[in-house]
Amino acid sequence: MAKHWLAILAALALGSAAAAQTTDAPAILLKPAAVFDGIDGQVHAGWQVLVRGERILAVGPALPSPAGAVVIALDGDTLMPGLIEGHGHLFLHPYNETSWDDQVLHEPLALRTARAVAQARATLHAGFTSLRDLGTEGAGYADVGLKAAIDQGIVEGPRLQVATRAIVALGAYGPKGFEPGVEVPQGAEEVSGAEQMVAAVRRQIAAGADWIKLYADYRWRPGDESRPTLNLEEIKAAVAAAHDAGRPVAVHASTPEGMRRAIDAGVDTIEHGYGGTPAIFAVMAAKKIALCPTLAASDATSRYRGWNGEDPAPATVRLNQESLRLALRAGVPICMGGDVGVYAHGDNAREMVLLAAAGMRPAEVLLAATSGNARWFGEAGRLGAVRPGMLADLVAVAGDPTRDIQAVRAVRFVTKGGKIVPLEQAK
């Protein structure tokens, strides 16, 4: 491992020296054991990747090395597209550290932002070069500022698509449990009626939202079961306003009726989907609406309550696993996203491991986390594949992740836009 990282650090030094002497960035020739290109689901032994600047120039076996190129040997590693986290909350941290209510009500915005900066870095270092952040949960529009700081190179982190405040039905979110009539800051923006919904959507887009996040169902009071909250007219109004502005819509939906309303309204992705039935998933598949199953969220919260991971699993975990299997049988496209923030940032691979354990082939999981998520997030022309012309967002992992999905935890090398990310292992 030390020799591996010495080679990378030497390449960084050579690249910096070459860049200082010419306006053209030096080419980098990456020589892994194999390449998983994110498109065909296969591992291609002996393939190499040539990068110049922020783009991939060439992919294939025995590539010629241009004059002055930096050659990096990634012995024993599989090189893949940078992984894409489909459902994260950078402004949350694990609930067994601090409850959701206390994060929203008691943690200062400056503290939450500082933590989000560290969590964005951990995400990138885990090989996730892009992330869809689906709501700041009481941190307002701070995700817009974090995205700008990453884009400007002020802090390290993945490419972000952000949803800002998320939108909920009036009275149907939290924190709850206070004196009736006392206005308590909420973890999302409340609306009542289609007119207020359209105003909220437009306000959030103007403030920087790349996605609109809705809650089609939720708990009206602590301890209640989830019930539909936004009505069909409200969801349709949100979708129309968002799509008019070129923004997609993600919907939290865990009840059959909440899912039906979201599907009927023409949303782009459904998050969780625990209550999905064969009929509901058949319509999702026909309309090509992607499902983010978030297995890791139910796994994490169950463990916080004392589950040790052994069978029999808690009912919520079993329900989550079965809904995924129903969706797969129906042909629903799967978004790889675990609701990270419920559990630790940097452990994003947890969802990938759980998807494989629940029945997806490792190669299918890898495709969902690369070209699949790139497609659902409107980035198919730039991200999610190791192909000439694509952005050089790349990750190398030890071993072959199509044989053992756990390999995605062993991140050895990361580039974002052709820039090598110095990982902690380099120390």
Side-chain angles (χ1 to χ4, degrees):
M1 181 68 75
K3 183 178 180 181
H4 174 83
W5 276 104
L6 284 172
I8 292 174
L9 290 172
L12 279 167
L14 285 170
S16 298
Q21 297 171 20
T22 176
T23 56
D24 295 325
I28 300 175
L29 181 61
L30 302 174
K31 303 177 75 171
V35 171
F36 180 88
D37 70 1
I39 299 295
D40 62 14
Q42 304 297 313
V43 169
H44 299 277
W47 276 22
Q48 301 171 359
V49 177
L50 183 64
V51 173
R52 187 185 293 276
E54 66 174 11
R55 299 279 173 179
I56 298 170
L57 285 184
V59 181
L63 296 178
S65 179
V70 175
V71 178
I72 300 178
L74 300 168
D75 298 334
D77 296 348
T78 298
L79 189 68
M80 307 185 298
L83 299 171
I84 302 173
E85 171 61 62
H87 187 134
H89 298 278
L90 285 170
F91 287 82
L92 291 177
H93 60 105
Y95 296 174
N96 63 336
E97 296 175 357
T98 306
S99 72
W100 183 88
D101 278 13
D102 283 346
Q103 290 184 49
V104 174
L105 289 177
H106 298 303
E107 292 188 342
L109 181 58
L111 172 63
R112 296 188 69 185
T113 302
R115 182 180 281 114
V117 168
Q119 294 178 158
R121 182 177 184 271
T123 302
L124 179 62
H125 284 224
F128 287 78
T129 55
S130 297
L131 178 144
R132 181 178 63 153
D133 192 289
L134 285 181
T136 60
E137 306 292 334
Y141 297 103
D143 54 351
V144 176
L146 177 59
K147 176 183 176 180
I150 292 171
D151 289 347
Q152 293 174 35
I154 298 169
V155 299
E156 279 190 290
R159 302 176 192 277
L160 295 185
Q161 292 189 1
V162 300
T164 69
R165 300 179 62 194
I167 301 173
V168 297
L170 179 65
Y173 206 54
K176 286 280 192 295
F178 299 89
E179 173 66 22
V182 174
E183 290 193 14
V184 176
Q186 295 291 286
E189 183 168 2
E190 296 182 299
V191 301
S192 185
E195 186 174 344
Q196 287 187 14
M197 174 65 83
V198 171
V201 168
R202 291 173 175 168
R203 184 162 46 242
Q204 292 192 8
I205 291 171
D210 303 306
W211 280 76
I212 294 300
K213 164 80 176 292
L214 308 176
Y215 281 74
D217 45 38
Y218 207 71
R219 300 177 295 275
W220 286 100
R221 296 178 185 173
D224 279 3
E225 293 184 358
S226 286
R227 295 179 180 274
T229 51
L230 295 173
N231 61 39
L232 181 58
E233 181 185 3
E234 290 168 330
I235 301 174
K236 282 185 173 180
V239 171
H243 285 181
D244 279 351
R247 267 61 172 190
V249 179
V251 175
H252 167 116
S254 61
T255 65
E257 181 58 26
M259 292 181 72
R260 287 190 194 98
R261 293 178 187 181
I263 293 165
D264 288 347
V267 305
D268 298 280
T269 67
I270 288 180
E271 315 303 307
H272 315 303
Y274 305 150
T277 65
I280 288 172
F281 285 130
V283 179
M284 280 186 68
K287 293 189 174 185
K288 295 182 171 55
I289 298 172
L291 172 70
C292 258
T294 64
L295 300 180
S298 59
D299 179 88
T301 54
S302 295
R303 289 175 188 271
Y304 298 158
R305 298 186 186 109
W307 178 48
N308 64 4
E310 297 179 358
D311 288 332
T316 53
V317 172
R318 295 197 305 272
L319 179 64
N320 202 175
Q321 293 169 339
E322 181 57 25
S323 69
L324 169 65
R325 294 181 186 120
L326 290 175
L328 290 171
R329 288 188 204 116
V332 175
I334 301 299
C335 156
M336 199 301 293
D339 213 353
V340 60
V342 174
Y343 54 98
H345 295 274
D347 191 22
N348 305 68
R350 182 175 188 165
E351 177 75 5
M352 299 178 72
V353 172
L354 290 171
L355 287 170
M360 289 180 71
R361 291 186 299 108
E364 292 175 329
V365 176
L366 294 168
L367 290 172
T370 55
S371 58
N373 276 0
R375 187 178 310 120
W376 319 135
F377 304 161
E379 295 281 12
R382 299 198 318 149
L383 302 173
V386 185
R387 291 287 173 88
M390 304 292 278
L391 285 173
D393 285 14
L394 302 165
V395 57
V397 300
D400 181 353
T402 66
R403 293 181 178 272
D404 180 5
I405 195 65
Q406 291 279 0
V408 297
R409 295 186 181 277
V411 174
R412 304 279 298 275
F413 175 84
V414 177
T415 67
K416 179 187 167 193
K419 295 181 179 178
I420 299 173
V421 177
L423 303 183
E424 295 297 333
Q425 296 153 301
K427 293 181 177 179

